[in-house]
Coordinates of all heavy atoms in Angstrom, one line a residue:
H20 N -16.8 19.1 26.6 CA -18.0 18.3 26.3 C -17.6 16.9 26.0 O -16.8 16.6 25.1 CB -18.6 19.0 25.1 CG -20.0 18.4 24.8 ND1 -20.1 17.3 24.0 CD2 -21.2 18.8 25.1 CE1 -21.4 17.1 23.8 NE2 -22.1 18.0 24.5
N21 N -18.1 15.9 26.7 CA -17.6 14.5 26.6 C -18.4 13.7 25.6 O -17.9 12.8 25.0 CB -17.6 13.8 27.9 CG -16.6 14.3 28.9 OD1 -15.6 14.9 28.4 ND2 -16.8 14.2 30.2
G22 N -19.7 14.0 25.4 CA -20.6 13.3 24.5 C -20.5 13.8 23.1 O -19.8 14.8 22.8
P23 N -21.2 13.1 22.2 CA -21.2 13.6 20.8 C -21.9 15.0 20.7 O -22.8 15.3 21.5 CB -22.1 12.6 20.0 CG -22.3 11.5 21.0 CD -22.0 11.9 22.3
L24 N -21.4 15.8 19.8 CA -22.0 17.1 19.6 C -23.0 17.0 18.6 O -22.9 16.3 17.6 CB -20.9 18.1 19.1 CG -19.7 18.3 20.1 CD1 -18.7 19.2 19.3 CD2 -20.1 18.9 21.4
R25 N -24.1 17.7 18.8 CA -25.2 17.7 17.8 C -25.4 19.1 17.2 O -25.7 20.0 18.0 CB -26.5 17.2 18.4 CG -27.6 17.1 17.4 CD -28.7 16.2 18.0 NE -29.9 16.2 17.1 CZ -30.0 15.4 16.0 NH1 -29.0 14.5 15.8 NH2 -31.1 15.4 15.3
L26 N -25.1 19.2 15.9 CA -25.2 20.5 15.3 C -26.4 20.4 14.3 O -26.6 19.4 13.6 CB -24.0 20.8 14.4 CG -22.6 20.8 15.2 CD1 -21.5 21.0 14.2 CD2 -22.7 21.8 16.3
E27 N -27.3 21.3 14.4 CA -28.4 21.3 13.5 C -28.5 22.5 12.6 O -28.1 23.6 13.0 CB -29.7 21.3 14.3 CG -29.9 20.0 15.1 CD -31.2 20.0 15.9 OE1 -32.1 20.8 15.5 OE2 -31.4 19.2 16.8
Y28 N -28.8 22.3 11.4 CA -29.0 23.4 10.4 C -30.5 23.4 10.0 O -30.9 22.4 9.4 CB -28.1 23.2 9.2 CG -28.4 24.1 8.1 CD1 -27.9 25.4 8.1 CD2 -29.1 23.7 7.0 CE1 -28.2 26.3 7.1 CE2 -29.3 24.6 5.9 CZ -28.9 25.9 6.0 OH -29.1 26.7 5.0
R29 N -31.2 24.4 10.5 CA -32.6 24.4 10.2 C -32.8 24.8 8.7 O -32.0 25.5 8.1 CB -33.3 25.4 11.1 CG -33.2 25.1 12.5 CD -34.1 23.9 12.8 NE -34.0 23.6 14.2 CZ -34.5 22.6 14.8 NH1 -35.2 21.7 14.0 NH2 -34.4 22.3 16.0
Y30 N -34.0 24.4 8.2 CA -34.2 24.7 6.8 C -34.5 26.2 6.6 O -34.9 26.9 7.5 CB -35.4 23.8 6.2 CG -36.7 24.2 6.8 CD1 -37.5 25.2 6.3 CD2 -37.2 23.5 8.0 CE1 -38.7 25.5 6.8 CE2 -38.4 23.8 8.5 CZ -39.2 24.8 8.0 OH -40.4 25.1 8.5
R31 N -34.3 26.6 5.4 CA -34.6 28.0 5.1 C -35.4 28.0 3.8 O -35.3 27.0 3.0 CB -33.3 28.8 4.9 CG -32.4 28.3 3.8 CD -31.1 29.2 3.7 NE -30.2 28.6 2.7 CZ -30.3 28.8 1.4 NH1 -31.3 29.5 0.9 NH2 -29.4 28.2 0.6
L32 N -36.1 29.0 3.6 CA -36.9 29.1 2.4 C -36.1 29.8 1.2 O -35.3 30.7 1.5 CB -38.1 30.0 2.6 CG -39.1 29.4 3.6 CD1 -40.3 30.4 3.8 CD2 -39.6 28.1 3.2
S33 N -36.2 29.2 0.1 CA -35.5 29.8 -1.1 C -36.3 31.0 -1.6 O -37.4 31.3 -1.1 CB -35.3 28.7 -2.2 OG -36.6 28.4 -2.7
E34 N -35.8 31.6 -2.6 CA -36.4 32.8 -3.2 C -37.8 32.5 -3.7 O -38.7 33.3 -3.7 CB -35.6 33.4 -4.3 CG -34.3 34.0 -3.8 CD -33.4 34.5 -4.9 OE1 -33.9 34.6 -6.1 OE2 -32.3 34.9 -4.6
S35 N -38.0 31.2 -4.2 CA -39.3 30.8 -4.8 C -40.3 30.4 -3.7 O -41.4 30.0 -4.0 CB -39.1 29.7 -5.8 OG -38.6 28.6 -5.1
G36 N -39.9 30.4 -2.4 CA -40.8 30.0 -1.4 C -40.7 28.5 -1.0 O -41.4 28.1 -0.1
Q37 N -39.9 27.8 -1.7 CA -39.7 26.4 -1.5 C -38.7 26.1 -0.4 O -37.8 26.9 -0.2 CB -39.2 25.6 -2.7 CG -40.2 25.7 -3.9 CD -41.5 24.9 -3.6 OE1 -41.4 23.9 -3.0 NE2 -42.6 25.5 -4.1
R38 N -38.9 25.1 0.4 CA -37.9 24.7 1.4 C -36.6 24.3 0.8 O -36.6 23.4 -0.1 CB -38.5 23.7 2.3 CG -37.6 23.4 3.5 CD -38.3 22.6 4.6 NE -38.8 21.3 4.1 CZ -39.3 20.4 4.8 NH1 -39.4 20.6 6.1 NH2 -39.8 19.3 4.3
A39 N -35.5 24.9 1.2 CA -34.2 24.6 0.5 C -33.6 23.3 1.0 O -32.9 22.6 0.3 CB -33.2 25.7 0.7
G40 N -33.9 22.9 2.3 CA -33.4 21.6 2.8 C -32.9 21.7 4.2 O -32.9 22.8 4.8
A41 N -32.6 20.6 4.8 CA -32.1 20.6 6.2 C -31.0 19.6 6.3 O -31.0 18.6 5.6 CB -33.3 20.2 7.1
A42 N -30.1 19.8 7.2 CA -29.0 18.9 7.5 C -28.8 18.8 9.0 O -28.8 19.7 9.7 CB -27.7 19.4 6.9
F43 N -28.7 17.5 9.4 CA -28.5 17.3 10.8 C -27.2 16.5 10.9 O -27.1 15.4 10.3 CB -29.6 16.5 11.4 CG -30.9 17.2 11.4 CD1 -31.8 17.0 10.4 CD2 -31.2 18.1 12.4 CE1 -33.0 17.7 10.3 CE2 -32.4 18.8 12.3 CZ -33.3 18.6 11.3
V44 N -26.2 16.9 11.6 CA -24.9 16.3 11.7 C -24.6 16.0 13.1 O -24.7 16.8 14.0 CB -23.8 17.3 11.1 CG1 -22.5 16.7 11.2 CG2 -24.2 17.7 9.7
T45 N -24.1 14.8 13.4 CA -23.7 14.4 14.7 C -22.1 14.3 14.6 O -21.6 13.4 13.9 CB -24.3 13.1 15.1 OG1 -25.7 13.2 15.1 CG2 -23.8 12.7 16.5
V46 N -21.5 15.1 15.4 CA -20.0 15.1 15.4 C -19.6 14.2 16.6 O -19.9 14.5 17.7 CB -19.4 16.5 15.5 CG1 -17.9 16.5 15.6 CG2 -19.9 17.4 14.4
T47 N -18.8 13.2 16.3 CA -18.4 12.3 17.3 C -17.0 12.6 17.9 O -16.6 12.0 18.9 CB -18.5 10.8 16.9 OG1 -17.6 10.7 15.7 CG2 -19.9 10.4 16.5
G48 N -16.3 13.4 17.2 CA -15.0 13.8 17.8 C -14.4 15.0 17.0 O -14.8 15.2 15.9
V49 N -13.6 15.7 17.7 CA -13.0 16.8 17.0 C -11.5 16.8 17.4 O -11.1 16.3 18.5 CB -13.6 18.2 17.5 CG1 -15.0 18.3 17.0 CG2 -13.6 18.4 19.0
G50 N -10.6 17.3 16.5 CA -9.2 17.4 16.8 C -8.6 16.1 17.1 O -8.6 15.2 16.3
A51 N -8.0 15.9 18.3 CA -7.2 14.7 18.6 C -8.1 13.5 18.9 O -7.5 12.4 18.9 CB -6.3 15.0 19.8
S52 N -9.4 13.7 19.0 CA -10.2 12.6 19.3 C -10.8 11.9 18.1 O -11.6 11.0 18.2 CB -11.3 13.0 20.3 OG -12.2 13.9 19.7
T53 N -10.5 12.4 16.9 CA -11.1 11.7 15.7 C -10.4 10.4 15.4 O -9.3 10.2 15.8 CB -10.9 12.7 14.4 OG1 -9.5 12.8 14.2 CG2 -11.6 14.0 14.6
A54 N -11.1 9.6 14.6 CA -10.5 8.2 14.3 C -9.2 8.4 13.5 O -8.3 7.6 13.7 CB -11.6 7.4 13.5
L55 N -9.2 9.3 12.6 CA -8.0 9.5 11.7 C -6.8 9.9 12.6 O -5.7 9.3 12.4 CB -8.3 10.5 10.6 CG -7.1 10.8 9.7 CD1 -6.7 9.5 9.0 CD2 -7.4 11.9 8.7
S56 N -7.0 10.8 13.5 CA -5.9 11.2 14.3 C -5.4 10.1 15.2 O -4.2 10.0 15.5 CB -6.2 12.5 15.1 OG -7.2 12.2 16.1
Q57 N -6.3 9.3 15.7 CA -5.9 8.1 16.5 C -5.1 7.1 15.7 O -4.2 6.5 16.2 CB -7.2 7.5 17.1 CG -7.8 8.4 18.2 CD -9.1 7.8 18.7 OE1 -9.5 6.7 18.3 NE2 -9.7 8.5 19.7
I58 N -5.5 6.9 14.4 CA -4.8 6.0 13.6 C -3.4 6.5 13.3 O -2.4 5.8 13.4 CB -5.5 5.8 12.2 CG1 -6.8 5.0 12.5 CG2 -4.7 5.0 11.2 CD1 -7.8 4.9 11.3
V59 N -3.3 7.8 13.0 CA -2.0 8.4 12.8 C -1.1 8.3 14.0 O 0.1 7.9 13.9 CB -2.1 9.9 12.4 CG1 -0.8 10.6 12.4 CG2 -2.8 10.0 11.0
Q60 N -1.7 8.5 15.2 CA -0.9 8.4 16.4 C -0.4 6.9 16.6 O 0.7 6.7 17.0 CB -1.8 8.8 17.6 CG -1.0 8.7 19.0 CD -1.9 9.1 20.1 OE1 -3.1 9.5 19.9 NE2 -1.3 9.0 21.3
L61 N -1.3 5.9 16.4 CA -0.9 4.5 16.5 C 0.3 4.2 15.6 O 1.2 3.5 15.9 CB -2.1 3.6 16.3 CG -3.1 3.6 17.4 CD1 -4.3 2.8 16.9 CD2 -2.5 3.0 18.7
V62 N 0.2 4.6 14.3 CA 1.3 4.4 13.3 C 2.6 5.0 13.8 O 3.6 4.4 13.7 CB 0.8 4.9 11.9 CG1 2.0 4.8 11.0 CG2 -0.3 4.0 11.4
Q63 N 2.5 6.2 14.3 CA 3.7 6.9 14.7 C 4.3 6.2 15.9 O 5.6 6.0 16.0 CB 3.4 8.4 15.1 CG 3.2 9.2 13.9 CD 2.7 10.6 14.3 OE1 2.2 10.9 15.5 NE2 2.8 11.6 13.4
E64 N 3.5 5.7 16.8 CA 4.0 4.9 18.0 C 4.7 3.6 17.5 O 5.7 3.2 18.1 CB 2.9 4.7 19.0 CG 2.4 5.9 19.7 CD 1.2 5.6 20.6 OE1 0.7 4.4 20.7 OE2 0.7 6.6 21.2
A65 N 4.1 3.0 16.6 CA 4.6 1.7 16.1 C 6.0 1.9 15.4 O 6.9 1.2 15.6 CB 3.6 1.0 15.1
Q66 N 6.1 3.0 14.6 CA 7.3 3.3 14.0 C 8.4 3.7 15.0 O 9.6 3.3 14.8 CB 7.1 4.5 13.0 CG 6.4 4.1 11.8 CD 6.1 5.3 10.9 OE1 6.1 6.4 11.3 NE2 5.8 5.0 9.6
N67 N 8.1 4.4 16.0 CA 9.0 4.7 17.1 C 9.5 3.5 17.8 O 10.7 3.4 18.2 CB 8.4 5.8 18.0 CG 8.3 7.1 17.4 OD1 9.0 7.4 16.5 ND2 7.4 7.9 17.9
R68 N 8.6 2.5 18.1 CA 9.0 1.3 18.7 C 10.0 0.5 17.9 O 10.9 -0.1 18.4 CB 7.8 0.4 19.0 CG 7.2 0.7 20.4 CD 6.1 -0.2 20.6 NE 5.1 0.2 19.6 CZ 3.8 -0.1 19.6 NH1 3.4 -0.9 20.5 NH2 3.0 0.3 18.7
N69 N 9.8 0.5 16.6 CA 10.7 -0.2 15.7 C 12.1 0.3 15.8 O 13.1 -0.4 15.5 CB 10.2 -0.2 14.2 CG 9.1 -1.2 14.0 OD1 8.9 -2.1 14.8 ND2 8.4 -1.0 12.9
R70 N 12.3 1.6 16.0 CA 13.6 2.2 16.1 C 14.4 1.7 17.4 O 15.6 1.7 17.4 CB 13.5 3.7 16.1 CG 13.1 4.2 14.8 CD 13.1 5.8 14.8 NE 12.5 6.2 13.6 CZ 11.5 7.1 13.6 NH1 11.0 7.6 14.7 NH2 11.0 7.5 12.4
E71 N 13.6 1.2 18.3 CA 14.2 0.8 19.6 C 14.6 -0.7 19.6 O 15.2 -1.2 20.5 CB 13.2 1.0 20.7 CG 12.9 2.5 20.9 CD 11.7 2.7 21.9 OE1 11.2 1.7 22.4 OE2 11.3 3.8 22.1
V72 N 14.2 -1.5 18.5 CA 14.4 -2.9 18.5 C 15.7 -3.2 17.6 O 15.6 -3.0 16.4 CB 13.2 -3.6 17.9 CG1 13.4 -5.1 17.9 CG2 12.0 -3.3 18.7
P73 N 16.8 -3.6 18.2 CA 18.0 -3.8 17.4 C 17.9 -4.9 16.3 O 18.4 -4.8 15.2 CB 19.1 -4.2 18.4 CG 18.5 -4.0 19.7 CD 17.0 -3.9 19.6
I74 N 17.1 -5.9 16.6 CA 16.9 -7.0 15.6 C 16.2 -6.5 14.3 O 16.5 -6.9 13.2 CB 16.2 -8.2 16.2 CG1 16.3 -9.4 15.2 CG2 14.8 -7.9 16.5 CD1 17.7 -10.0 15.2
Q75 N 15.3 -5.5 14.5 CA 14.7 -4.9 13.4 C 15.6 -4.1 12.5 O 15.6 -4.2 11.2 CB 13.5 -4.0 13.8 CG 12.8 -3.3 12.7 CD 12.0 -4.3 11.9 OE1 11.3 -5.2 12.5 NE2 12.0 -4.3 10.6
N76 N 16.6 -3.4 13.1 CA 17.6 -2.7 12.3 C 18.5 -3.7 11.5 O 18.8 -3.5 10.4 CB 18.5 -1.9 13.2 CG 17.7 -0.8 13.9 OD1 16.7 -0.3 13.3 ND2 18.1 -0.3 15.1
L77 N 18.8 -4.8 12.2 CA 19.6 -5.9 11.5 C 18.8 -6.4 10.3 O 19.3 -6.6 9.2 CB 20.0 -7.0 12.4 CG 20.7 -8.2 11.8 CD1 22.1 -7.7 11.2 CD2 21.0 -9.2 12.8
A78 N 17.5 -6.7 10.5 CA 16.7 -7.3 9.5 C 16.6 -6.3 8.3 O 16.6 -6.7 7.1 CB 15.3 -7.6 10.0
D79 N 16.5 -5.0 8.6 CA 16.4 -4.0 7.6 C 17.7 -4.0 6.7 O 17.6 -3.8 5.5 CB 16.1 -2.6 8.2 CG 14.7 -2.5 8.7 OD1 13.8 -3.3 8.3 OD2 14.5 -1.6 9.5
K80 N 18.8 -4.1 7.4 CA 20.1 -4.0 6.7 C 20.2 -5.3 5.8 O 20.7 -5.2 4.7 CB 21.3 -4.0 7.7 CG 21.4 -2.6 8.3 CD 22.5 -2.6 9.3 CE 22.6 -1.3 10.1 NZ 23.6 -1.2 11.1
V81 N 19.9 -6.5 6.4 CA 20.0 -7.7 5.6 C 19.1 -7.7 4.4 O 19.5 -8.0 3.3 CB 19.7 -8.9 6.5 CG1 19.5 -10.2 5.7 CG2 20.8 -9.1 7.5
S82 N 17.8 -7.3 4.6 CA 16.9 -7.2 3.4 C 17.3 -6.2 2.4 O 17.0 -6.3 1.2 CB 15.5 -7.0 3.9 OG 15.3 -5.7 4.5
G83 N 17.9 -5.1 2.9 CA 18.4 -4.1 2.0 C 19.5 -4.6 1.0 O 19.7 -4.0 -0.1
I84 N 20.2 -5.6 1.4 CA 21.2 -6.2 0.6 C 20.7 -7.5 -0.1 O 20.9 -7.7 -1.3 CB 22.4 -6.6 1.4 CG1 23.1 -5.3 2.0 CG2 23.4 -7.4 0.6 CD1 24.2 -5.6 3.0
F85 N 19.9 -8.3 0.6 CA 19.4 -9.6 0.1 C 18.5 -9.4 -1.1 O 18.6 -10.1 -2.1 CB 18.7 -10.4 1.2 CG 18.2 -11.7 0.8 CD1 19.0 -12.8 0.6 CD2 16.8 -11.9 0.6 CE1 18.5 -14.0 0.2 CE2 16.3 -13.1 0.2 CZ 17.2 -14.1 0.0
V86 N 17.5 -8.5 -0.9 CA 16.4 -8.4 -2.0 C 17.0 -7.9 -3.3 O 16.8 -8.5 -4.4 CB 15.3 -7.5 -1.5 CG1 14.3 -7.2 -2.6 CG2 14.6 -8.2 -0.3
P87 N 17.8 -6.8 -3.3 CA 18.4 -6.4 -4.6 C 19.3 -7.5 -5.2 O 19.4 -7.6 -6.4 CB 19.2 -5.1 -4.2 CG 18.6 -4.6 -3.0 CD 18.1 -5.8 -2.3
T88 N 20.0 -8.2 -4.3 CA 20.9 -9.3 -4.8 C 20.1 -10.4 -5.5 O 20.5 -10.8 -6.6 CB 21.8 -9.9 -3.7 OG1 22.5 -8.8 -3.1 CG2 22.7 -11.0 -4.2
V89 N 19.0 -10.8 -4.9 CA 18.2 -11.8 -5.5 C 17.6 -11.3 -6.8 O 17.6 -12.1 -7.8 CB 17.1 -12.3 -4.5 CG1 16.1 -13.2 -5.2 CG2 17.7 -13.0 -3.4
V90 N 17.1 -10.1 -6.9 CA 16.5 -9.6 -8.1 C 17.6 -9.5 -9.2 O 17.4 -9.9 -10.3 CB 15.9 -8.2 -7.8 CG1 15.5 -7.5 -9.1 CG2 14.7 -8.3 -6.9
A91 N 18.8 -9.0 -8.9 CA 19.9 -8.9 -9.8 C 20.3 -10.3 -10.4 O 20.4 -10.5 -11.6 CB 21.1 -8.2 -9.2
L92 N 20.4 -11.3 -9.5 CA 20.8 -12.6 -9.9 C 19.8 -13.3 -10.8 O 20.1 -13.9 -11.8 CB 21.1 -13.5 -8.7 CG 22.4 -13.2 -8.0 CD1 22.6 -14.1 -6.7 CD2 23.6 -13.4 -8.9
S93 N 18.5 -13.1 -10.4 CA 17.4 -13.7 -11.3 C 17.4 -13.0 -12.6 O 17.1 -13.7 -13.6 CB 16.1 -13.6 -10.5 OG 15.7 -12.2 -10.3
T94 N 17.6 -11.7 -12.7 CA 17.6 -11.0 -14.0 C 18.8 -11.5 -14.8 O 18.7 -11.8 -16.0 CB 17.7 -9.5 -13.8 OG1 16.6 -9.1 -13.0 CG2 17.7 -8.7 -15.1
I95 N 20.0 -11.6 -14.2 CA 21.2 -12.1 -15.0 C 20.9 -13.5 -15.4 O 21.2 -13.9 -16.6 CB 22.4 -12.0 -14.1 CG1 22.8 -10.6 -13.8 CG2 23.6 -12.8 -14.7 CD1 23.8 -10.3 -12.8
T96 N 20.3 -14.4 -14.6 CA 20.1 -15.8 -15.0 C 19.1 -15.8 -16.2 O 19.3 -16.6 -17.1 CB 19.4 -16.5 -13.8 OG1 20.3 -16.5 -12.7 CG2 19.1 -18.0 -14.2
F97 N 18.1 -15.0 -16.1 CA 17.1 -15.0 -17.3 C 17.9 -14.5 -18.6 O 17.7 -15.2 -19.6 CB 16.0 -14.0 -17.0 CG 15.1 -13.7 -18.2 CD1 14.2 -14.6 -18.6 CD2 15.3 -12.5 -18.9 CE1 13.4 -14.4 -19.7 CE2 14.5 -12.3 -20.0 CZ 13.6 -13.2 -20.4
M98 N 18.7 -13.5 -18.5 CA 19.4 -13.0 -19.7 C 20.3 -14.0 -20.2 O 20.4 -14.2 -21.4 CB 20.1 -11.7 -19.4 CG 19.1 -10.5 -19.1 SD 19.8 -8.9 -18.9 CE 21.2 -9.1 -17.8
V99 N 21.1 -14.7 -19.3 CA 22.0 -15.7 -19.8 C 21.3 -16.9 -20.5 O 21.6 -17.3 -21.6 CB 22.9 -16.3 -18.6 CG1 23.6 -17.5 -19.0 CG2 23.8 -15.2 -18.2
W100 N 20.2 -17.4 -19.9 CA 19.4 -18.5 -20.5 C 18.8 -18.0 -21.8 O 18.8 -18.8 -22.8 CB 18.3 -19.0 -19.6 CG 18.8 -20.0 -18.6 CD1 19.1 -19.9 -17.3 CD2 19.0 -21.4 -18.9 NE1 19.5 -21.1 -16.8 CE2 19.5 -22.1 -17.8 CE3 18.8 -22.2 -20.1 CZ2 19.8 -23.4 -17.8 CZ3 19.1 -23.5 -20.1 CH2 19.6 -24.1 -18.9
Y101 N 18.3 -16.8 -21.9 CA 17.7 -16.3 -23.1 C 18.8 -16.2 -24.2 O 18.5 -16.7 -25.3 CB 17.1 -14.9 -22.8 CG 16.4 -14.3 -24.0 CD1 15.1 -14.7 -24.3 CD2 17.0 -13.4 -24.9 CE1 14.4 -14.2 -25.4 CE2 16.3 -12.9 -26.0 CZ 15.0 -13.3 -26.2 OH 14.4 -12.8 -27.3
A102 N 19.9 -15.7 -23.9 CA 21.0 -15.6 -24.9 C 21.5 -17.0 -25.3 O 21.7 -17.2 -26.5 CB 22.2 -14.9 -24.3
L103 N 21.6 -18.0 -24.4 CA 22.0 -19.3 -24.8 C 21.0 -20.0 -25.6 O 21.3 -20.7 -26.6 CB 22.3 -20.1 -23.5 CG 23.5 -19.7 -22.7 CD1 23.6 -20.5 -21.4 CD2 24.8 -19.8 -23.4
I104 N 19.7 -19.8 -25.3 CA 18.7 -20.5 -26.1 C 18.6 -19.8 -27.5 O 18.5 -20.5 -28.5 CB 17.3 -20.4 -25.4 CG1 17.3 -21.3 -24.2 CG2 16.2 -20.8 -26.4 CD1 16.1 -21.2 -23.3
Q105 N 18.7 -18.5 -27.6 CA 18.6 -17.8 -28.9 C 19.8 -18.1 -29.7 O 19.8 -18.2 -31.0 CB 18.5 -16.3 -28.7 CG 17.1 -15.8 -28.1 CD 16.0 -16.2 -29.0 OE1 16.1 -16.1 -30.2 NE2 14.9 -16.6 -28.4
G106 N 21.0 -18.3 -29.1 CA 22.2 -18.6 -29.8 C 22.3 -20.1 -30.2 O 23.3 -20.5 -30.9
G107 N 21.4 -20.9 -29.8 CA 21.4 -22.3 -30.2 C 22.4 -23.2 -29.3 O 22.6 -24.3 -29.7
V108 N 22.9 -22.7 -28.2 CA 23.8 -23.4 -27.4 C 23.1 -24.4 -26.6 O 23.6 -25.5 -26.4 CB 24.6 -22.4 -26.5 CG1 25.5 -23.1 -25.5 CG2 25.3 -21.4 -27.3
V109 N 21.9 -24.2 -26.1 CA 21.1 -25.1 -25.3 C 20.4 -26.0 -26.3 O 19.7 -25.6 -27.2 CB 20.1 -24.3 -24.5 CG1 19.2 -25.3 -23.7 CG2 20.8 -23.4 -23.5
P110 N 20.5 -27.4 -26.1 CA 19.8 -28.3 -27.0 C 18.3 -28.1 -26.9 O 17.8 -27.8 -25.8 CB 20.2 -29.7 -26.4 CG 21.4 -29.4 -25.6 CD 21.3 -28.0 -25.1
L111 N 17.6 -28.3 -28.0 CA 16.2 -28.1 -28.0 C 15.5 -29.1 -27.2 O 14.3 -28.9 -26.8 CB 15.7 -28.2 -29.5 CG 16.1 -27.0 -30.4 CD1 15.5 -27.2 -31.8 CD2 15.7 -25.7 -29.8
S112 N 16.2 -30.2 -26.9 CA 15.5 -31.3 -26.0 C 15.4 -30.7 -24.6 O 14.6 -31.3 -23.8 CB 16.4 -32.5 -26.0 OG 17.7 -32.3 -25.5
F113 N 16.1 -29.7 -24.2 CA 15.9 -29.1 -22.9 C 14.6 -28.3 -22.8 O 14.2 -28.0 -21.7 CB 17.1 -28.2 -22.6 CG 18.4 -28.9 -22.1 CD1 18.6 -30.2 -22.4 CD2 19.3 -28.2 -21.4 CE1 19.8 -30.8 -22.1 CE2 20.5 -28.8 -21.1 CZ 20.7 -30.2 -21.4
L114 N 14.1 -27.9 -23.9 CA 12.9 -27.0 -23.9 C 11.7 -27.8 -23.9 O 11.6 -28.9 -24.4 CB 13.0 -26.1 -25.1 CG 14.3 -25.2 -25.3 CD1 14.2 -24.5 -26.6 CD2 14.4 -24.3 -24.1
P115 N 10.6 -27.2 -23.4 CA 9.3 -27.9 -23.5 C 8.8 -28.0 -24.9 O 9.3 -27.3 -25.8 CB 8.3 -26.9 -22.8 CG 9.2 -26.0 -22.0 CD 10.5 -25.9 -22.7
P116 N 8.0 -29.0 -25.2 CA 7.5 -29.2 -26.6 C 6.9 -28.0 -27.2 O 6.3 -27.2 -26.4 CB 6.4 -30.3 -26.4 CG 6.7 -30.9 -25.1 CD 7.4 -29.9 -24.2
D117 N 7.0 -27.8 -28.4 CA 6.5 -26.7 -29.2 C 7.1 -25.3 -28.8 O 6.5 -24.3 -29.0 CB 4.9 -26.5 -29.0 CG 4.2 -27.8 -29.5 OD1 4.7 -28.4 -30.5 OD2 3.2 -28.1 -29.0
E118 N 8.3 -25.3 -28.2 CA 9.0 -24.1 -27.9 C 10.4 -24.2 -28.5 O 11.0 -25.2 -28.5 CB 9.0 -23.8 -26.4 CG 7.7 -23.5 -25.8 CD 7.8 -23.0 -24.4 OE1 8.9 -22.6 -24.0 OE2 6.8 -23.1 -23.7
G119 N 10.9 -23.1 -28.9 CA 12.2 -23.0 -29.5 C 12.7 -21.6 -29.7 O 12.0 -20.7 -29.3
P120 N 13.9 -21.4 -30.2 CA 14.4 -20.1 -30.4 C 13.6 -19.2 -31.3 O 13.5 -18.0 -31.1 CB 15.8 -20.3 -31.0 CG 16.1 -21.7 -30.8 CD 14.8 -22.4 -30.6
S121 N 12.9 -19.8 -32.2 CA 12.0 -19.0 -33.1 C 10.7 -18.7 -32.6 O 9.8 -18.1 -33.2 CB 11.9 -19.7 -34.5 OG 11.2 -20.9 -34.3
G122 N 10.4 -19.1 -31.3 CA 9.1 -18.8 -30.7 C 8.1 -19.9 -30.9 O 6.9 -19.7 -30.5
G123 N 8.4 -21.0 -31.5 CA 7.4 -22.0 -31.7 C 7.9 -23.1 -32.6 O 9.1 -23.3 -32.7
K124 N 7.0 -23.8 -33.3 CA 7.3 -25.0 -34.1 C 8.3 -24.8 -35.1 O 8.7 -24.2 -35.8 CB 6.0 -25.5 -34.7 CG 5.0 -25.9 -33.6 CD 3.7 -26.3 -34.3 CE 2.7 -26.6 -33.2 NZ 1.4 -27.0 -33.7

C-alpha cells in the first residue's frame, strides 16, 4: 500500500446509552518509512561516513588532547592567581577597585 492508511474506529455506546467517542487516525508510514526511522538511518549513515575520513580521526585525536589540556591549564592558572592574591603576593593595585583578598573594601 503506497498511500496513507486510514484507520477508523467507529463510536460505541456506553452502558448508559451515551456515545463513548470516535477516533479517526491517518497513518502516514509504518516500520522503515516513519520519520523517526529515517532520521535514525541518516544519523547512522553520517556516523559511518566520519569513520572513512582520515582528517576527522586526526581532529578527534587532537581535540581529545587539546581540550583537557586547556581546561587543566586554565584551572591551574585560576588556582595560582587565587593563592597569590589571598597570600598578599599580588599588589592590590593589580586588582580592580573595591576588590581585594578579603572580598571587598
Side-chain angles (χ1 to χ4, degrees):
H20 190 273
N21 292 336
L24 302 174
R25 183 164 175 83
L26 305 176
E27 293 185 16
Y28 171 75
R29 298 288 179 186
Y30 68 88
R31 61 180 174 82
L32 296 178
S33 66
E34 292 177 8
S35 64
Q37 298 293 322
R38 186 166 57 173
F43 299 95
V44 179
T45 302
V46 178
T47 58
V49 293
S52 65
T53 62
L55 179 59
S56 67
Q57 290 174 0
I58 292 170
V59 169
Q60 182 181 357
L61 288 172
V62 170
Q63 288 173 342
E64 289 173 4
Q66 288 174 338
N67 289 336
R68 267 183 294 196
N69 283 343
R70 292 187 187 124
E71 299 170 2
V72 181
I74 192 71
Q75 181 66 44
N76 294 334
L77 175 63
D79 290 342
K80 288 179 185 176
V81 169
S82 66
I84 295 170
F85 179 77
V86 171
T88 301
V89 169
V90 170
L92 287 175
S93 62
T94 302
I95 291 169
T96 301
F97 170 78
M98 292 188 312
V99 168
W100 273 101
Y101 185 81
L103 292 175
I104 290 172
Q105 291 299 320
V108 176
V109 175
L111 293 180
S112 61
F113 282 20
L114 302 176
D117 299 330
E118 291 188 22
S121 63
K124 299 177 182 178

